[in-house]
Amino acid sequence: MTHILAIDQGTTSSRGIIFDPEMKIVATAQEEFDQHFPRSGWVEHVVEDLWRTTVATSRGAIDKAGLKATDISAIGITNQRETTVVWDRHTGKAVHNAIVWQDRRTADMCEALKADGFEATITHKTGLLLDPYFSGTKLKWLLENVEGVKEGAEAGDLLFGTVDSYLIWKLTNGARHVTDATNAARTMLYNIREGAWDAEICAKYGIPMKMLPEVLDCAADFGVTAKEHFGAELPILGVAGDQQAATLGQACFEPGMLKSTYGTGCFALLNTGDTLVESQNRLLGTIAYQFDGKPTYALEGSIFIAGAVVQWLRDGLGIIAKAADTHPLAEKADPEQELYLVPAFTGLGAPYWDANARGAIYGLTRGSGPAEFARAALESVGFQTRDLLEAMKSDWQGADNAPVLRVDGGMSASDWAMQFLSDILGAPVDRPTVLETTALGVAWLAGMRVGIYPDQAGFATEWVLDQRFTAKMDETTRARRYDGWKDAIGRTLSQS
């Protein structure tokens, strides 16, 4: 028993990844699943798809590694955050499709709660904003709009969880209804100051607290898988929401350390230690990780659309066949054209939090074509990242101790995109040798817990730089380009 299985249940695919005793990846299996858009701004997943692909890819990774289940020491789970599942505790059947973090159906509900003066309570207790992004109003919507859910919840027959909680319940055949502190912190129901589900918020939303899972540290005993799933009973010893898992995988353990992950969305987390910063710029206060009952806090900026803009180029416009085509196409763009693509396909996240904004592109000419669209799409990620970092520096003076941005996720593999990111930030961007930092983070949690991986200090020394990107753009150009972006944002905001 010398290997770790990391389960990475993401927004567009599930993956199983096997790590060896040196924390190196030896096998990966991945399977995409369908996205469902029943109405404009609504995003759903079939819950069974999440479960089926998780089991299939976990088994596939074990097989590809040439291992048996008995070779696996422990499991770590990382997951798309905020996505909301309600299921029957007796049958395991979901009462409705999963409502995905990108879903905006509760925008009016959030506006009504704001008008009622409740946002200040939410922000103080949870560190979050009153936004459809988080699980709380998604659960409220299910209770109010799906027949039988309210009654079943009040009777104690229905359970709520984020995806990690649902998967653990399924893997343990219903023996464990648990989550970790990082996922709990994203529900808008968890008081991150007190470390407990908040009775006042749950009452305001009409949520029976008996639906909620037990909250554990990130490295803890989450349960043991039933033998039927993988061929052996395996302990689940590490859990973290995907962005917090990436923070761990990037070894951002010191206050002031900063990472940004580029997946479907983009998420920047700044470690603020034992200080919960109350943002003045509509960033989020959240839990970066929790050990021994003690949370380490972070400032987070969340961008809804990063890698998803490349998917849009492929699936929506059809101008590329695969994601890797974006970068060579962008290099062909006319340097005289400066298009700005604001990818507000499901609203704008931090620091704007405009649920009603929708995507727009500015600067089009008769000469604008696929190459210019591709470049504008990639540049939009750099511009949005700068928005986050500017807000962080304004909120917390410790942010000035983060002269380097550590990056990971699929888009970070693009030299072109990372060079533009460094250019528009005017700061170094460090890419590690292991880009799978999300999976690495939970693999390390589980491996540390079972005793085959080093402790926190030892793990930090093993972070290895692959490439540092340094700014080549002159300050005048940088300022002009960013001013152009701010103008485009101003034109796109729904209230402007």
Side-chain angles (χ1 to χ4, degrees), residues 15-281:
R15 297 188 303 162
I17 303 174
I18 303 295
F19 288 82
D20 70 12
E22 283 71 48
M23 293 187 288
K24 300 291 192 299
I25 294 173
V26 295
T28 301
Q30 181 170 0
E31 185 176 344
E32 292 189 359
F33 49 83
D34 291 338
Q35 310 291 301
H36 299 271
F37 309 99
R39 296 188 192 175
S40 175
W42 291 28
V43 190
E44 296 180 355
H45 293 153
V46 174
V47 176
E48 183 62 29
D49 287 349
L50 307 183
W51 167 242
R52 174 184 54 79
T53 56
T54 293
V55 172
T57 54
S58 296
R59 291 173 176 170
I62 293 170
D63 289 344
K64 286 173 71 173
L67 301 174
K68 302 183 295 295
T70 51
D71 296 316
I72 303 299
S73 298
I75 295 174
I77 297 176
T78 185
N79 56 286
Q80 52 169 315
R81 304 172 304 171
E82 299 94 19
T83 295
T84 299
V85 184
V86 174
W87 68 95
D88 188 302
R89 70 159 67 241
H90 308 294
T91 67
K93 182 176 174 58
V95 302
H96 188 272
N97 282 350
I99 303 181
V100 180
W101 58 272
Q102 298 163 315
D103 189 282
R104 313 302 289 173
R105 76 185 64 187
T106 62
D108 289 344
M109 186 184 294
C110 290
E111 289 304 315
L113 288 163
K114 288 178 188 177
D116 199 27
F118 200 58
E119 186 169 44
T121 299
I122 289 291
T123 299
H124 178 73
K125 290 186 171 187
T126 71
L128 308 178
L129 300 172
L130 237 172
D131 189 85
Y133 177 23
F134 307 107
S135 312
T137 55
K138 300 181 195 300
L139 177 53
K140 178 174 164 63
W141 186 92
L142 288 168
L143 289 163
E144 295 177 355
N145 290 277
V146 179
E147 185 177 356
V149 171
K150 184 175 176 20
E151 295 76 13
E154 290 175 345
D157 294 327
L158 299 182
L159 302 176
F160 155 78
T162 42
V163 173
D164 62 302
S165 186
Y166 170 74
L167 292 179
I168 293 168
W169 192 90
K170 291 284 284 184
L171 287 168
T172 62
N173 283 2
R176 297 283 278 167
H177 183 215
V178 295
T179 189
D180 87 294
T182 69
N183 277 294
R186 310 299 296 188
T187 61
M188 203 163 54
L189 305 173
Y190 187 73
N191 189 319
I192 64 175
R193 296 176 183 274
E194 298 180 359
W197 298 113
D198 194 272
E200 179 187 9
I201 297 173
C202 288
K204 182 74 171 180
Y205 290 180
I207 295 170
M209 295 185 72
K210 65 183 74 174
M211 298 182 75
L212 306 179
E214 179 186 359
V215 182
L216 306 177
D217 287 343
C218 297
D221 297 326
F222 289 89
V224 177
T225 66
K227 185 176 180 180
E228 66 198 67
H229 300 308
F230 303 126
E233 295 182 343
L234 304 176
I236 304 167
L237 299 181
V239 176
D242 52 11
Q243 302 313 314
Q244 282 87 347
T247 302
L248 292 167
Q250 288 276 34
C252 290
F253 296 134
E254 298 298 324
M257 294 187 73
L258 174 69
K259 75 89 198 175
S260 189
T261 298
Y262 298 94
T264 301
C266 165
F267 303 86
L269 266 75
L270 174 70
N271 185 324
T272 60
D274 57 9
T275 301
L276 175 57
V277 177
E278 293 199 35
S279 175
Q280 303 304 306
N281 293 280

Side-chain angles (χ1 to χ4, degrees), residues 392-402:
M392 287 177 173
K393 290 178 180 179
S394 176
D395 272 336
W396 189 57
Q397 63 181 15
D400 293 332
N401 297 328

